[in-house]
Amino acid sequence: MIASLRGTVLETSLSGATIEVGGVGMTFQATPATLAGLRPGQEALVHTELIVREDSLTLVGFADADERHCFRVLMGAKGVGARLALAVLSVHTPDTLRRAIAGADVAALTRVPGLGPKGAQRVIIDVGDKLGPVTGEEPADAGTGAGTASITGPAPCPDVVAALVQLGWNEAAAAEAVSTVEAAHTAANGEGAAPMPVPELLRASLRWLGGGHRG
């Protein structure tokens, strides 16, 4: 069992990162929230879960032990694999997931691509109170409340749009989310501001979509 990685971040992508540990590069998948906290060239610690299949070994990384705990619990629900569990945690933080499960909020859970009403109900039943109590306040997010921002302007970041489409949203909804978040960032920081780092832009776009803005 590989429980954690500590070392220098070599590279990040829209879906994962590589950390050098003892001279060996270890690549793992992760949520946008986890990836947003990693910077190439800097040291980082990620908690991990190794998914073993007959034909593959997949390492998944998490910003903290709580996110990993939620991933493990979700994997115990019928019909939920690693990809869907990661998608859930890409849209919902551990505490918003706890609130959705505790409140039997099917609508909140079906904001996750690939999780329909029946699947959401099964997750609610199978997970129950296994996630534990809410741990604290939700952090502010650059994408929250961005729905009123103007989305006119340059074309949205194509890499982030493609990543959202791969996660299950249609292209129009993905483009709208990215454009809205980018416009909100520009409005808050000025026209000359540096663009949002791609992992942070993806995370904010997912939160915007997870707030109910979807096509």
Side-chain angles (χ1 to χ4, degrees), residues 63-149:
D64 53 43
D66 187 32
E67 190 179 45
R68 182 179 62 188
H69 166 67
C70 292
F71 178 83
R72 288 172 172 172
V73 172
L74 286 168
M75 287 278 287
K78 184 178 180 181
V80 178
R83 182 175 180 178
L84 183 54
L86 267 180
V88 171
L89 291 171
S90 293
V91 174
H92 295 290
T93 65
D95 276 352
T96 59
L97 178 60
R98 289 183 173 97
R99 293 187 179 99
I101 298 292
D105 191 345
V106 172
L109 293 176
T110 54
R111 291 171 192 155
V112 178
L115 190 59
K118 289 185 178 179
Q121 291 170 352
R122 171 55 60 186
V123 168
I124 290 170
I125 292 171
D126 288 352
V127 170
D129 61 358
K130 296 175 185 176
L131 293 176
V134 173
T135 61
E137 295 297 322
E138 287 299 305
D141 187 276
T144 303
T148 58

Side-chain angles (χ1 to χ4, degrees), residues 36 38-39 48 51-52 65 75 77 84 87 101 120 137 177-178 195 200 209:
L38 302 177
R39 297 288 183 274
T48 57
I51 309 300
V52 180
M75 287 278 287
L84 183 54
I101 298 292
E137 295 297 322
V178 177
E200 292 182 14
L209 288 163

